[in-house]
């Protein structure tokens, strides 16, 4: 399958349909995805041009989507001559998804609509200790309560996405001895939450979920080749090449230690305490404790404290080198940064990282590389978890065309 750009001035990549037998479901998703990516709406003529499907196929598909209430007619567009064309757009409230992000510091639950807009959200500190069954039960209860209290009709909720720190076992749905989460071991989180909530569930790495969020509803919906640098309790990268999310053979792609860009908030704050930049009262006893130290480091750096700024400068250089190497290897056009720690330190880190990417002899050779901060805030991984559900159910996956 190839891709092209929508014909009404948009820049979003659109998958091409296939005028072949037994691909009706795939083509329906191609059309739905094209309309979703073009927020200003697309006419049937533009859909046929953008997707490569015949006008009759597009007409049949849009009729079904209109009957299902997933799309609606949103107005008319004059093309200068002839009859004005009717525009079609997504109905956001037609479908919903739930996302939950298990981070060592905070657990975040969200409900999003079909366009990925958050309609309900709840966060609480991740409990310490190893009572995983109780923590999972509390997560499930939070999910169920959030759905019940939101505008989402339960019958319109497609499922539950779960984002967790790696390593994970995607096939079994387990988290596997995640760092900073002692006592979890090999835990069947996907199935436990699915059973407790009654929702079909999918589990993925938090960095992968974050890049899916950007691809679905964030700052990089128009990019087919991007990387997301995630900085939460730890660091990692989510990767997209040719509009395909890269997960690796075990679903654990995105580790950045080998690029020299690995860091945890605990290590960062402990370094500041050891150097006397922060007092002993900022000593980290649990991942949630690091937030105070990060905020204080940001304040000191902004106020001109050379030692505090030096810590952040060294971190920024490590991140910049790792991002430049990955951007070169993958030949991406967009680099997005985000995560809870990035929300605190990002402005300072970007002062160093952005020029590094712009001046890299490897990145700049044939095309510009956009460097941006996520528009989805600290809850980007939770939004990504929900986006995993939307993406899995509603994005056209070329693999679906393979004969079984």
């Amino acid at each position: 399958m190839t891709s092209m750009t929508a014909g009404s001035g948009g820049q979003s990549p659109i998958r091409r349909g296939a005028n072949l037998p037994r691909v009706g479901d795939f083509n329906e998703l191609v059309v739905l995805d094209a309309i979703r990516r073009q927020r200003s709406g697309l006419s049937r003529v533009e859909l046929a041009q953008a997707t490569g499907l015949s006008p009759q196929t597009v007409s049949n598909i849009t009729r079904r989507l209109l009957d299902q209430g997933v799309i609606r007619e949103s107005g008319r567009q004059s093309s200068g001559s002839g009859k004005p064309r009717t525009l079609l757009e997504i109905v956001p409230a037609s479908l919903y998804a739930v996302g939950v992000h298990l981070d060592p510091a905070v657990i975040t639950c969200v409900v999003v609509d079909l366009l990925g807009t958050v309609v309900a959200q709840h966060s609480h500190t991740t409990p310490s200790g190893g009572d995983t069954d109780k923590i999972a039960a509390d997560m499930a209860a939070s999910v169920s309560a959030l759905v019940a209290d939101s505008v989402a009709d339960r019958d319109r909720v497609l499922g539950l996405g779960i984002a967790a720190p790696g390593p994970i076992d995607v096939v079994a749905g387990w988290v596997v001895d995640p760092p900073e989460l002692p006592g979890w071991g090999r835990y069947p989180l996907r199935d436990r939450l699915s059973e407790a909530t009654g929702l079909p569930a999918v589990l993925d790495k938090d960095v992968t979920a974050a890049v899916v969020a950007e691809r679905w509803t964030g700052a990089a919906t128009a990019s087919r080749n991007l990387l997301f640098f995630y900085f939460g309790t730890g660091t990692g990268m989510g990767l997209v090449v040719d509009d395909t999310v890269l997960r690796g053979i075990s679903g654990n792609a995105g580790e950045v230690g080998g690029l020299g860009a690995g860091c945890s908030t605990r290590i960062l704050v402990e370094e500041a305490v050891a150097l006397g930049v922060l007092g002993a009262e900022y000593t980290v006893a649990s991942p949630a404790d690091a937030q105070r130290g990060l905020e204080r480091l940001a304040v000191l750096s902004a106020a001109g404290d050379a030692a505090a700024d030096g810590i952040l400068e060294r971190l920024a250089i490590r991140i910049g080198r790792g991002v430049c190497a990955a951007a070169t290897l993958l030949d991406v056009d967009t680099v997005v940064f985000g995560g809870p720690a990035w929300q605190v330190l990002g402005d300072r880190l970007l002062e160093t990282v952005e020029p590094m990417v712009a001046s890299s002899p490897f990145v700049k050779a044939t095309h510009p590389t956009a460097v941006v901060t996520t528009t989805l805030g600290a809850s980007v991984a939770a939004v990504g978890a929900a986006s995993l559900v939307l993406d899995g159910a509603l994005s056209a996956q070329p693999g679906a065309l393979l004969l079984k």
Side-chain angles (χ1 to χ4, degrees):
M1 294 294 163
T2 59
S3 297
M4 66 177 292
T5 300
S8 61
Q11 298 181 354
S12 298
I14 293 174
R15 287 198 182 277
R16 300 281 278 181
N19 294 294
L20 298 170
R22 301 180 62 190
V23 293
D25 290 344
F26 177 81
N27 285 340
E28 187 168 302
L29 293 178
V30 165
V31 170
L32 184 65
D33 194 53
I35 297 171
R36 178 186 66 80
R37 293 189 188 228
Q38 194 68 23
R39 298 295 176 93
S40 59
L42 284 175
S43 69
R44 291 169 177 82
V45 172
E46 290 167 329
L47 280 168
Q49 294 171 345
T51 62
L53 296 169
S54 70
Q56 185 59 52
T57 298
V58 168
S59 180
N60 292 338
I61 289 173
T62 55
R63 187 181 304 115
R64 289 198 299 271
L65 294 174
L66 285 164
D67 290 343
Q68 295 165 13
V70 178
I71 65 172
R72 62 191 172 203
E73 295 182 344
S74 60
R76 293 182 178 273
Q77 179 187 63
S78 175
S79 59
S81 62
K83 183 179 178 181
R85 296 170 178 173
T86 301
L87 296 178
L88 301 167
E89 68 177 11
I90 292 292
V91 178
S94 60
L95 293 168
Y96 296 90
V98 185
V100 58
H101 177 208
L102 171 64
D103 180 84
V106 62
I107 295 172
T108 304
C109 304
V110 299
V111 179
V112 306
D113 64 21
L114 183 50
L115 290 179
T117 302
V118 176
V119 300
Q121 179 172 336
H122 171 74
S123 298
H124 63 271
T125 301
T126 304
S128 58
D131 192 347
T132 50
D133 285 337
K134 184 179 187 307
I135 295 172
D138 289 344
M139 290 171 66
S142 294
V143 166
S144 297
L146 192 65
V147 173
D149 293 340
S150 74
V151 297
D153 185 332
R154 171 78 181 215
D155 293 338
R156 293 184 178 273
V157 176
L158 290 171
L160 169 65
I162 306 159
I168 60 171
D169 184 326
V170 173
V171 176
W174 294 348
V175 295
V176 182
D177 293 315
E180 302 280 0
L181 284 172
W184 278 77
R186 299 176 62 86
Y187 190 81
L189 185 60
R190 182 194 64 198
D191 291 350
R192 292 294 173 86
L193 293 188
S194 180
E195 292 165 3
T197 62
L199 294 169
V202 59
L203 171 72
D204 219 326
K205 279 185 64 173
D206 47 13
V207 295
T208 302
V211 81
V212 171
E214 293 301 323
R215 182 171 171 262
W216 187 269
T217 191
T221 55
S223 175
R224 292 174 52 84
N225 296 275
L226 67 135
L227 68 83
F228 186 105
F229 187 89
Y230 180 85
F231 191 5
T233 298
T235 53
M237 288 187 194
L239 312 167
V240 172
V241 173
D242 197 22
D243 209 25
T244 299
V245 179
L246 302 185
R247 290 180 165 87
I249 192 170
S250 68
N252 286 290
E255 294 300 319
V256 297
L259 296 173
C263 184
S264 73
T265 54
R266 178 192 292 272
I267 289 173
L268 193 64
V269 174
E270 286 178 348
E271 178 186 359
V273 172
L275 293 175
V277 176
L278 296 178
E281 68 272 18
Y282 288 97
T283 300
V284 178
S286 70
D289 293 340
Q291 183 74 11
R292 288 191 312 118
L294 295 183
E295 292 170 355
R296 183 58 181 162
L297 267 178
V299 169
L300 291 172
S301 175
D305 186 304
D309 195 65
I311 293 172
L312 299 185
E313 175 70 2
R314 290 191 292 275
L315 172 63
I317 290 172
R318 295 201 306 272
I319 292 173
R321 287 172 176 165
V323 165
C324 285
T328 302
L329 179 65
L330 299 177
D331 193 21
V332 302
D333 59 28
T334 305
V335 179
V336 186
F337 292 89
W342 188 265
Q343 292 296 118
V344 178
L345 304 176
D347 288 346
R348 170 60 188 90
L349 299 178
L350 210 56
E351 290 177 8
T352 298
V353 173
E354 189 169 15
M356 289 180 69
V357 175
S359 64
S360 169
F362 309 110
V363 174
K364 72 177 182 181
T366 59
H367 61 81
T369 302
V371 178
V372 298
T373 290
T374 182
T375 60
L376 301 177
S379 59
V380 59
V383 175
S387 299
L388 292 169
V389 176
L390 298 175
D391 194 55
L394 301 173
S395 287
Q397 308 293 339
L401 294 176
L402 298 177
L403 296 177
K404 304 295 185 181

